Amino acid sequence: SNLMFVLAMCEAHHEASLARLLVVQYYESTDAKGFEADVDMLWSMAAFSLFSKYEEIALKTLRRTFHGDPPDNVVTLVKLHDVARSVHLHGAPLKRLLWESWRAACSETAQREGVRLASSPAHRRLAECLDQLQYILPGEEESGPRPFQFVRGWNIRWIPVDFYDKDLKLVIDLDTLGSPVSRTVRHHLLREYGCTPVLLDYWDWRSTNSAAGRLSYLTFQLERTLCMPVIEQKKK
């Protein structure tokens, strides 16, 4: 499960064939499977959208995982929150295995972690930059630019996001070193829900060590995603 988890964390979708092979090998292996190994495998299967293809494997792994009382480990619960949301969307026959106590524990932990991560100084600087930007809709140039309407710390179907513009269905998440897992699963789910997620790389954001640099980087990322002009608001 370790190699599978690394592939999922790196978003190595070009290695999808290897990922499928690792799932089968994990299932067929006679070695003892620990709780954390099962959690990592489930999260990785969610990242590669493999629940439907390997439903039997998912069923047996979920049965081993979701029993008894939920653990106290934050990282584990955040991973399982992603698994639970992915099962809810892609694995209808698997939903019955998700006990309410586990769903509640995973959801509450994910929300707390989202609030904790979004309170960082880097997120505050990002919020300041977003307040200074506006966009121009294609074909409506004469109407002038519109300000973004980002809400900080929003939830979309129990998925916490850093910033959300409801009109554009645009999500912006800032990657941080404190995040227990990547946003791979969540951003895949958000796309299924009709949203457009943008992940800002931690090191790229940190390297922009000036307000002008941050604005330039953010403008580039938004224009590339939205395919429309993004400009800085004129100072009054």
Side-chain angles (χ1 to χ4, degrees):
S1 64
N2 289 337
L3 177 55
M4 180 69 170
F5 185 69
V6 170
L7 292 177
M9 283 287 288
C10 295
E11 300 186 41
H13 296 295
H14 60 285
E15 297 288 359
S17 297
L18 175 59
R20 291 192 291 270
L21 176 62
L22 290 172
V23 170
V24 175
Q25 286 183 342
Y26 183 79
Y27 174 66
E28 294 179 346
S29 172
T30 58
D31 296 340
K33 299 174 177 63
F35 175 75
E36 292 299 336
D38 277 345
V39 171
D40 284 349
M41 178 55 67
L42 286 170
W43 188 87
S44 302
M45 290 179 70
F48 281 96
S49 302
L50 295 177
F51 283 150
S52 297
K53 184 174 181 63
Y54 297 109
E55 187 174 293
E56 181 183 355
I57 296 176
L59 278 168
K60 292 190 175 182
T61 309
L62 284 166
R63 285 196 185 100
R64 287 198 303 268
T65 304
F66 286 87
H67 71 276
D69 296 324
D72 296 326
N73 186 282
V74 171
V75 174
T76 298
L77 289 172
V78 169
K79 291 176 184 176
L80 289 176
H81 173 263
D82 289 356
V83 170
R85 298 317 307 162
S86 187
V87 165
H88 190 270
L89 179 65
H90 295 293
L94 309 177
K95 292 181 188 178
R96 56 188 174 83
L97 298 177
L98 303 180
W99 294 5
E100 182 58 36
S101 59
W102 283 73
R103 283 201 300 265
C106 294
S107 180
E108 290 169 6
T109 302
Q111 306 311 315
R112 286 198 303 269
E113 276 298 285
V115 171
R116 181 184 69 83
L117 294 172
S119 64
S120 72
H123 283 81
R124 185 176 64 251
R125 288 191 291 269
L126 175 54
E128 293 170 354
C129 287
L130 290 172
D131 286 341
Q132 299 177 54
L133 295 177
Q134 50 192 354
Y135 61 95
I136 301 174
L137 285 173
E140 298 187 18
E141 290 80 5
E142 294 183 359
S143 300
R146 303 184 182 189
F148 287 100
Q149 302 291 335
F150 282 107
V151 178
R152 189 172 176 179
W154 195 254
N155 284 282
I156 302 171
R157 301 194 187 185
W158 296 281
I159 298 176
V161 300
D162 294 340
F163 298 90
Y164 180 56
D165 186 311
K166 186 177 180 180
D167 292 338
L168 297 172
K169 291 189 175 181
L170 177 65
V171 170
I172 295 183
D173 282 326
L174 177 60
D175 196 15
T176 63
L177 295 182
S179 180
V181 290
S182 72
R183 309 290 180 110
T184 304
V185 176
R186 296 184 186 185
H187 280 197
H188 174 71
L189 292 171
L190 289 170
R191 292 186 190 96
E192 293 285 339
Y193 297 148
C195 299
T196 301
V198 177
L199 180 63
L200 303 179
D201 181 77
Y202 170 80
W203 295 108
D204 288 345
W205 181 254
R206 185 178 178 182
S207 67
T208 57
N209 52 11
S210 68
R214 288 190 286 272
L215 279 172
S216 178
Y217 170 72
L218 189 54
T219 298
F220 171 76
Q221 294 295 332
L222 290 173
E223 286 188 335
R224 184 176 68 171
T225 300
L226 297 172
C227 297
M228 65 177 71
V230 175
I231 61 175
E232 186 176 353
Q233 294 188 34
K234 294 182 180 179
K235 296 181 181 180
K236 298 180 180 179

